Structure formats: structure tokens, C-alpha cells
Amino acid sequence: MEHLASNPWASLAYLVAGVCFILALRGLSSPSSSQRGNRLGMIGMTIAVVTTLVTHIPWIAPPCPTGAICENFGTPVLDMLTMIELLLAIGIGAAIGIVTARRIAMTAMPQLVAAFHSLVGLAAVLVAAAAFLNPGAFGILGADGEILSVSRVEMGLGVAIGAITFSGSVIAFLKLNGNMGGKPILLPGRHVINLALLAGILGLVGYFTQDQAPWIFWTITVLSFVIGFLLIVPIGGADMPVVVSMLNSYSGWAAAAMGFTLHNTAMIVTGALVGSSGAILSYIMCRAMNRSFISVIAGGFGGDAGGGAGGAAAIDRPWKRGSADDAAFLMSQAEQVIIVPGYGMAVAQAQHALREMGDKLKAHGVRVKYAIHPVAGRMPGHMNVLLAEANVPYDDVFELEDINSEFAQTDVAFVIGANDVTNPAAKTDKSSPIYGMPVLDVEKAKTVLFIKRSMGGVGYAGVDNELFYRDNTMMLLADAKKMVEEIVKALE
């Protein structure tokens, strides 16, 4: 029985789902509307999944009686076994998702996102492989019994982008999770190798339109897995936020390509939205890190400027140490305090204590604001998510371009675990690997309070922060959460 995908009601349902996805992206553009955006995204996905199931319900023809003429015999009936298998697969996936979401720590969100991207890429590869092995089931066979040329293009691009997304996301996960070092692994002639592999993949995709020999399809798949690995391995840990964003874009384009193969409007729309929004976000983050967008696509950025992640040692220079009592006194006497959170806050899970400290300062008549760098943490919006979890008022949270001019008129800048994004060397030291990256001008505040575990380590980019040794900086050496809790007690 022909699928009901051409049903006008199905088209209308997919249109509604697409609108929900667009509104979801709009909602996610601001912390204050992010919950609404998430709900709309879930509603849209529910509509899309249900519509796909309804329009592709498996039907089977009844058995033909012996000796009867069986053409168009009887009314097709629902294939309950296949339907049960589909619902069972959905149930298992939903259970895994719910358990993972409930158990995952906020500090592990970046690697979870990378893991999810890898699954999207792997799904695209499996769908492309299924379509290649059984094209009749996907309705992509031509009159000559071979796969349609346009479908071969979609299939080739889909499997290539999916494989790159999968292997690249696996490497990103391993780096973010600490299973691999954050230091770039720079292979000799990597750019030449990457360009040669990319040219080979595109050439094979073109050849695949003329010849559907199995070796061509599987060679495209293997080469794409390899180039995904080679693109991400040379990238340093400090550049992981851009990597996560870029892989998000890749996963969207992979889904869109498979949407064409499956003739599924919802997948095409959703994939295009994810791919384009991820690419735009990557461009914005590249500007925030002073990286070239082209170098992100080519791979190997983050490791050319010397230093690299973990390559530098702390500077042996005089510095001032303070206590929780010192910090509490200075901030309680201030007119304005700007709090700068970073990955150190996430690791220590100090966001709730930080919000309590902010409330105590407000009770003392102090203006409290939060300054967020676009790449603070390990994924886009990492700090915004943590502060929202702690119920920090959205009106108190400001992006770099909106608050940088206020540091010069601020009494105290309170930095908690934000190293590279506050390093003044980015503006003055041309030999630094972070030179040219826009940073928060915390050094312009009258006093800088900087929470750090010890003076022995360096930032994720592998360079020491000269801010530690400024005359107006006081180092608070301790676990971030413990130090903030002590400051809260001192403020009482």
C-alpha cells in the first residue's frame, strides 16, 4: 500500500512542526525565553514523530487463498509485529534519554552534547547504508533498476557528513571528558592530507552518480570517518566551544541530507535549521575567539600559535593572597561588583553559593552584575545555563560587549574560575596563543578578586594569566565553592 506521506494533513502537520522548531530557536536566543523555546521544540518534534509514524504505518496484504487470482486481493492489514518493534525502539530510546538527562551533571553537559552529535552522525550513516543496501524500500529506484542519480548525490553527501560528524564528535567527547589530552596533536602535513581526503571524497561522490558500485559507497564512508578524526585531533582544548558548535552544524546538514533520501519534510526542515543556526553560532564564536571561520572548517586551529593547551608554565612573580574575610569586606564596601564566572565555577558546582553571595551583597546595597564571555566554559551558553539553574536574575547577566565598558567604573571584579577570557595578554602579547581574542577587561576594576585552586597551574589554553600579578589583584586560593561559602558566612 502506498504511504500516506502525500496526504495534505501530513504536510500541514510537518509545517506546524517546522514553525515550532523556528520558534524554539527564537526562544533559545535568550535565557529568559529558553524554557519556552525548549517546550516548543519538544512539541514540534512530537508532532513530527507522530506524523511520520501515522503516514508510514506498516501494512501487509492478507495471504492469497490457494488457486485464487490474488492481484489486489483483500484489504491490507496492520503489520502489528513491525509496529511493536517501532514502538519498542522508541521506548528504549526515550528511557535512555530520560535516565541520561536526570543523571548527568551540569559540568558534563559539553561532552554529553558532543556524544549526542555523534549519535546523529551515526544515524545518518546507518540510514544511508540502509538506503544503499535496500533502495526499493526507500522508493529511490529508477526505471532501469538502479538508484536514482539525485538520490546517489543525497546519499553520498549524507553518509560523508554523517561519518565526519560521528568520528569528529567522538574525539571531541574524549577531549572534553578527559580521556584524551587537551593539547593539540599536530600531524605533519595535516592540511595537505585533509585537503586530499576532502577532494577524494567529493570526487567519489561525483563518480557515485555514474556508478553505484559498492566499493565507491563504502570508500566514501571510510574516508569520511578518517577525515572527521583528522579534523578534530589537531584542535586544542581551549577551542572546544567552537568545535561543539561546528559539529552541531554538521549534524544538522547530515540530517537534512538524509531527509531528502527518506522524502521526509520534517527532517529536511529540522536539519537545515540546525545546520544553518550552528554555522552562524560558530561564526559568532570564532569572532569572539579571534579565530578564522575557514580554519575551523579546515581543522587544526588552536594549535598553530605556539603554546597550545597545557604547554606553558606559571610565571614566578610576586602576587598578593587574600582571605574570605578580605573579600567580604572589600565587596560589602563597594558600590558595584561584577562577577565573572568560568569553567572553574562549573567544576566546583559553585553557582548556587555564588547566587547566595550576590543576594547578600544586594542586601548591603551593592549593585551586582554578572559578565559572561561567549566562550566561557566548554560549550556555547555554558555559564548562562549554570546561572539560570541557580535562579540568578536574567537582568543581572550581561554579555561581553554590553558590560566591558563598565569595569573601569567598578569597585570589585570577582573572577571565579575564568582564566583565559580575562587574560590581558590577549590584548598586548603578540606571542601569546590567545592574542587578539576579545577578553573581559577585569584588570580595569579598582580591585580584582580571583578565585583559583593554586598558583601552580595555567589556563586551558596553556598560558599563564598576567592578571594574577597585577597590583590591584588579590588571589583567593581555594576550591571555588568552599571559598564562596566562606565569603557568604563573612558577609553575614
Side-chain angles (χ1 to χ4, degrees):
M1 183 178 181
E2 186 178 349
H3 292 323
L4 302 176
S6 58
N7 189 316
W9 290 107
S11 300
L12 178 61
Y14 284 143
L15 177 61
V16 172
V19 172
C20 286
F21 295 143
I22 294 172
L23 294 176
L25 287 175
R26 172 64 179 172
L28 293 172
S29 64
S30 170
S32 59
S33 58
S34 59
Q35 289 186 346
R36 183 175 71 251
N38 268 313
R39 293 191 189 99
L40 287 169
M42 290 187 286
I43 292 171
M45 186 54 67
T46 301
I47 294 172
V49 170
V50 171
T51 303
T52 300
L53 287 175
V54 170
T55 56
H56 292 76
I57 290 176
W59 298 88
I60 56 175
C64 179
T66 305
I69 299 175
C70 298
E71 184 178 358
N72 298 323
F73 176 81
T75 302
V77 296
L78 181 64
D79 184 355
M80 288 302 299
L81 180 60
T82 303
M83 198 66 186
I84 291 172
E85 291 174 345
L86 286 171
L87 295 176
L88 183 61
I90 293 173
I92 293 173
I96 293 173
I98 292 171
V99 171
T100 302
R102 292 178 68 90
R103 292 185 177 181
I104 197 71
M106 291 303 297
T107 52
M109 284 300 293
Q111 48 264 51
L112 178 66
V113 171
F116 282 166
H117 289 164
S118 73
L119 295 179
V120 175
L122 183 59
V125 173
L126 294 177
V127 170
F132 177 73
L133 295 173
N134 189 11
F138 290 78
I140 56 176
L141 278 179
D144 55 359
E146 294 195 344
I147 300 173
L148 297 171
S149 296
V150 66
S151 296
R152 295 187 209 175
V153 174
E154 298 161 0
M155 193 183 303
L157 292 177
V159 75
I161 300 172
I164 292 171
T165 303
F166 173 75
S167 55
S169 297
V170 168
I171 298 302
F173 170 84
L174 294 175
K175 288 192 174 225
L176 289 166
N177 204 45
N179 302 108
M180 286 182 66
K183 187 175 182 179
I185 301 174
L186 305 179
L187 303 177
R190 64 189 182 282
H191 294 304
V192 175
I193 296 172
N194 290 344
L195 288 173
L197 285 173
L198 182 60
I201 292 170
L202 293 176
L204 286 171
V205 171
Y207 186 42
F208 188 52
T209 62
Q210 307 301 317
D211 185 349
Q212 65 177 52
W215 72 267
I216 303 175
F217 177 84
W218 297 117
T219 302
I220 293 172
T221 305
V222 172
L223 291 181
S224 299
F225 278 128
V226 172
I227 196 173
F229 170 83
L230 294 177
L231 284 172
I232 307 302
V233 161
I235 298 175
D239 294 319
M240 277 297 117
V242 182
V243 174
V244 172
S245 176
M246 202 65 212
L247 289 171
N248 177 58
S249 178
Y250 290 167
S251 68
W253 297 124
M258 288 303 95
F260 283 104
T261 301
L262 296 172
H263 308 292
N264 189 295
T265 307
M267 282 188 67
I268 297 171
V269 172
T270 306
L273 285 173
V274 173
S276 56
S277 61
I280 293 170
L281 179 59
S282 299
Y283 175 73
I284 293 172
M285 296 191 70
C286 284
R287 288 184 58 190
M289 298 182 71
N290 195 38
R291 302 297 188 195
S292 165
F293 187 70
I294 300 300
S295 68
V296 178
I297 299 173
F301 66 105
D304 295 328
I315 303 171
D316 185 15
R317 288 164 53 184
W319 51 276
K320 292 188 295 186
R321 182 168 187 168
S323 65
D325 290 333
D326 297 328
F329 175 78
L330 287 169
M331 287 192 288
S332 64
Q333 301 301 310
E335 291 186 7
Q336 176 166 289
V337 172
I338 297 181
I339 299 172
V340 182
Y343 190 63
M345 181 198 74
V347 171
Q349 288 288 281
Q351 61 269 25
H352 295 281
L354 192 66
R355 193 261 312 166
E356 187 178 357
M357 185 189 80
D359 291 342
K360 295 289 184 184
L361 290 173
K362 289 177 181 178
H364 282 79
V366 180
R367 290 194 307 275
V368 177
K369 296 183 179 181
Y370 296 79
I372 306 295
H373 192 281
V375 295
R378 295 293 175 265
M379 71 174 185
H382 198 180
M383 295 301 105
N384 300 81
V385 171
L386 292 174
L387 294 179
E389 182 198 16
N391 294 319
V392 172
Y394 299 130
D395 293 340
D396 292 348
V397 181
F398 297 86
E399 300 296 330
L400 177 146
E401 62 271 13
D402 298 323
I403 201 169
N404 237 9
S405 60
E406 293 193 31
F407 281 103
Q409 292 81 42
T410 297
D411 298 296
V412 178
F414 185 85
V415 185
I416 175 170
N419 199 332
D420 301 319
V421 298
T422 61
N423 194 339
K427 297 178 284 187
T428 58
D429 186 1
K430 293 185 178 181
S431 64
S432 173
I434 62 172
Y435 177 74
M437 182 178 82
V439 294
L440 291 161
D441 296 332
V442 296
E443 78 280 0
K444 295 181 179 180
K446 294 177 182 177
T447 301
V448 178
L449 300 175
F450 204 115
I451 295 183
K452 195 173 185 290
R453 281 187 174 273
S454 70
M455 296 297 293
V458 293
Y460 211 57
V463 292
D464 200 22
N465 192 341
E466 68 174 52
L467 181 64
F468 303 157
Y469 315 102
R470 296 287 182 98
D471 292 335
N472 63 330
T473 300
M474 180 180 293
M475 301 301 298
L476 307 174
L477 302 184
D479 173 80
K481 184 177 181 180
K482 183 179 179 181
M483 174 58 72
V484 175
E485 288 174 344
E486 291 179 357
I487 293 173
V488 171
K489 290 180 181 179
L491 285 171
E492 293 174 349

